[in-house]
């Protein structure tokens, strides 16, 4: 790839150099002036060509009127070498050589430069297209992953909602159980308290009865004890016993 | 313990029969047993194995000598020497019953707060004989805890006419 590019650049440089050399082959203003100086001869001035021109310049600088006139006339002649170019059309030879060079350059570029550039562009286009496709694919994958994440998020939210609902139901159940248990405990405590009160009341009554009976029995025993001190009473008790045993009433 | 007491009673009865005074010996043995019931110190002294047997026998002979027949004294001395003075009441009861059986009679243990007169004892024996259907000998015991009236025990049967029993019934009624 790079080799083809460098070859194209070399062809272009060669074409430019070739066209420059062809252009230099035409007569220029400089060569015209040189030709005029080379053949110049001034009346009254020694020498020919460049020597004459040099001597003319020296005498004119010295204030020679004749030399100044000749120098002015020679300058006018040299201006004849300078022809004003056409502002629109170049020289015909320049057009020919330039067109030929352009054609050659175009052919060379079409032959050597365009294919690699075209390949380069195609490769770049393909690379860009691949990048775009890859980006599209990644975007699609990202969208798919996002959809998956969103689905998972939705599932997680649904699961969280379900767990919260279950927790609420369990809390309600536990609360109901605790309330029922507390009510049962309260009822049991009330029954137990009522039973305790009733038992305490019965115990108090029993204690009272026992105490009353003890007092009564104590009094009875005291009375009986005093009466039993009487021997006659003892005898009567024994006789009554014998009578009951004898009558079969023991 | 009942079997052991019965064994000792059989032995006592056998000796008394041999001596021909079972009636007397059983009665004296019964009285000695009753006397011991009311004498805690004496009963504990006769039951104390730390006291040599000869000493305990000497106590018995000192107490009964002249007041009981020789057979009774010898039997009580033998029982105390054997370390069975705590069983003396049961042995005496068994001996009395053996004697009564030999005579075709039953024995009634009669407890009263005051001593029965002879006339009361005869009438009570007659009444118990009539109630049980066979002749009954009574063994009278003065027991102040009875308070008043009489408690008669014939075998397993108890006829309780004591004031203590009536007060107990009255307490149960309350």
């Amino acid at each position: 790839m790079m080799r083809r590019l460098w070859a194209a650049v070399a062809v272009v440089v060669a074409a430019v150099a070739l066209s420059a050399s062809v252009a230099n082959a035409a007569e220029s203003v400089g060569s015209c002036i040189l030709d005029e100086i080379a053949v110049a001869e001034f009346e009254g001035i020694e020498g020919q060509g460049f020597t004459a021109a040099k001597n003319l310049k020296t005498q004119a600088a010295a204030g020679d009127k004749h030399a100044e006139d000749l120098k002015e006339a020679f300058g006018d002649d040299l201006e004849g070498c300078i022809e004003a170019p056409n502002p629109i059309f170049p020289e015909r030879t320049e057009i020919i050589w330039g067109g030929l060079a352009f054609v050659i350059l175009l052919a060379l570029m079409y032959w050597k430069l365009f294919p690699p550039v075209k390949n380069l562009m195609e490769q770049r286009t393909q690379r860009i297209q691949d990048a775009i496709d890859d980006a599209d694919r990644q975007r699609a994958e990202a969208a798919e992953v996002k959809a998956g994440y969103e689905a998972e998020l939705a599932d997680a939210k649904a699961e969280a909602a379900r767990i919260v609902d279950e927790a609420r139901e369990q809390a309600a159940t536990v609360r109901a159980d605790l309330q029922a248990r507390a009510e049962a405990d309260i009822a049991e405590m009330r029954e137990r308290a009522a039973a305790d009160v009733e038992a305490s009341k019965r115990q108090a009554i029993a204690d009272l009865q026992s105490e009353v009976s003890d007092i009564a029995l104590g009094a009875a025993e005291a009375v009986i004890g005093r009466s039993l001190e009487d021997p006659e009473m003892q005898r009567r008790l024994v006789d009554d016993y014998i009578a009951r045993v004898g009558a079969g009433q023991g | 313990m009942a079997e052991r007491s019965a064994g000792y009673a059989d032995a006592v009865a056998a000796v008394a029969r041999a001596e021909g005074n079972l009636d007397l010996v059983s009665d004296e043995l019964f009285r000695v047993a009753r006397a011991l019931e009311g004498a805690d110190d004496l009963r504990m002294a006769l039951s104390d194995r730390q006291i040599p047997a000869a000493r305990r026998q000497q106590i018995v002979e000192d107490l009964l000598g002249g007041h009981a027949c020789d057979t009774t004294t010898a039997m009580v001395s033998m029982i105390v020497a054997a370390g069975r003075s705590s069983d003396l009441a049961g042995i005496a009861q068994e001996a009395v019953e053996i004697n009564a059986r030999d005579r075709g009679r039953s024995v009634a243990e009669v407890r009263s707060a005051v001593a029965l007169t002879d006339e009361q004892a005869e009438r009570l024996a007659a009444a118990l004989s009539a109630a049980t259907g066979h002749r009954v000998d009574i063994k009278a015991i003065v027991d102040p805890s009875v308070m008043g009236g009489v408690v008669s025990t014939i075998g397993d049967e108890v006829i309780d006419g004591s004031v203590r029993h009536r007060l107990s019934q009255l307490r149960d009624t309350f």
Side-chain angles (χ1 to χ4, degrees):
Chain A
M1 179 71 185
M2 290 302 293
R3 290 176 61 188
R4 287 188 178 184
L5 184 59
W6 282 114
V9 171
V11 168
V12 170
V13 171
V16 171
L18 183 59
S19 64
S21 64
V22 170
N24 290 335
E27 184 178 9
S28 63
V29 175
S31 63
C32 176
I33 291 172
L34 288 175
D35 289 343
E36 287 291 335
I37 293 172
V39 298
E41 287 181 0
F42 303 106
E43 187 179 355
I45 302 301
E46 290 182 356
Q48 187 181 0
F50 285 95
T51 303
K54 185 176 177 183
N55 292 331
L56 178 63
K57 182 178 176 183
T58 303
Q59 290 179 5
D64 186 350
K65 183 64 177 174
H66 178 67
E68 289 180 358
D69 294 339
L70 289 175
K71 181 182 177 182
E72 186 176 354
F74 183 66
D76 294 338
D77 292 339
L78 289 178
E79 287 181 354
C81 291
I82 300 171
E83 187 176 356
N86 191 318
I88 299 174
F89 295 103
E91 291 290 336
R92 189 173 56 188
T93 56
E94 186 176 353
I95 291 173
I96 292 171
W97 284 109
L100 183 60
F102 175 74
V103 170
I104 292 170
L105 181 60
L106 184 62
L108 286 173
M109 288 178 68
Y110 189 79
W111 178 44
K112 288 291 184 183
L113 184 60
F114 283 178
V117 171
K118 184 179 179 182
N119 289 334
L120 194 64
M121 293 300 291
E122 287 178 351
Q123 289 175 357
R124 186 180 180 190
T125 302
Q126 185 61 40
R127 195 164 57 247
I128 292 171
Q129 186 61 43
D130 291 343
I132 292 171
D133 293 342
D134 191 48
D136 290 340
R137 183 177 54 76
Q138 289 183 356
R139 185 165 55 249
E141 290 179 356
E144 186 177 355
V145 171
K146 180 184 177 184
Y149 285 156
E150 288 178 349
E152 291 180 358
L153 182 60
D155 292 342
K157 287 182 178 178
E159 181 67 14
R162 186 184 63 76
I163 291 172
V164 170
D165 291 341
E166 287 184 358
R168 286 176 178 165
E169 291 177 358
Q170 290 179 353
T173 303
V174 169
R175 186 167 57 247
D177 290 344
L178 290 175
Q179 187 172 0
R181 198 176 304 165
E183 289 175 354
D185 291 343
I186 291 171
E188 184 180 354
M189 290 172 64
R190 284 178 178 167
E191 292 178 359
R192 197 179 306 154
D196 290 343
V197 169
E198 184 65 23
S200 298
K201 187 171 70 177
R202 290 179 180 175
Q203 184 63 39
I205 293 172
D207 292 343
L208 187 60
Q209 287 179 340
S210 176
E211 192 168 350
V212 169
S213 64
D214 287 343
I215 293 172
L217 286 172
E221 287 175 357
V223 172
I224 291 171
R226 281 197 297 274
S227 64
L228 291 177
E229 293 175 356
D230 183 5
E232 180 61 22
M233 178 60 71
Q234 289 285 357
R235 188 189 63 76
R236 279 169 49 193
L237 286 171
V238 173
D239 289 344
D240 288 345
Y241 176 81
I242 294 170
R244 284 202 308 276
V245 172
Q249 299 175 352
Chain B
M1 191 177 73
E3 292 181 359
R4 190 169 60 202
S5 297
Y8 275 91
D10 287 340
V12 170
V15 171
R17 282 195 200 98
E19 294 293 335
N21 56 0
L22 176 58
D23 193 17
L24 176 62
V25 169
S26 63
D27 184 65
E28 289 179 347
L29 194 60
F30 187 82
R31 292 175 186 275
V32 170
R34 296 286 82 80
L36 282 179
E37 282 185 0
D40 293 338
D41 292 340
L42 177 60
R43 189 173 65 251
M44 291 178 64
L46 296 178
S47 301
D48 190 354
R49 290 180 177 272
Q50 301 297 323
I51 300 174
R55 176 63 182 145
R56 283 181 278 151
Q57 286 179 309
Q58 185 63 48
I59 293 172
V60 171
E61 290 172 0
D62 291 344
L63 289 173
L64 297 184
H67 299 286
C69 68
D70 293 341
T71 305
T72 300
T73 304
M75 290 299 101
V76 173
S77 179
M78 181 270 293
I79 292 169
V80 169
R84 300 302 175 192
S85 58
S86 60
D87 297 335
L88 189 59
I91 294 169
Q93 183 66 33
E94 285 288 334
V96 168
E97 291 182 0
I98 289 170
N99 181 40
R101 283 197 298 271
D102 285 355
R103 298 166 57 203
R105 293 171 177 253
S106 297
V107 176
E109 180 187 279
V110 177
R111 292 177 179 269
S112 58
V114 296
L116 299 180
T117 63
D118 292 341
E119 185 269 340
Q120 285 177 327
E122 289 177 3
R123 283 194 293 123
L124 180 56
L128 290 172
S129 297
T132 59
H134 47 80
R135 298 184 65 178
V136 175
D137 289 340
I138 64 173
K139 295 296 180 185
I141 301 171
V142 177
D143 185 356
S145 68
V146 173
M147 297 179 71
V150 178
V151 180
S152 300
T153 304
I154 307 170
D156 297 332
E157 186 178 1
V158 177
I159 303 171
D160 196 341
S162 65
V163 173
R164 178 185 63 190
H165 178 61
R166 290 178 185 177
L167 286 175
S168 177
Q169 286 180 325
L170 184 62
R171 192 181 299 275
D172 292 340
T173 302
F174 278 103

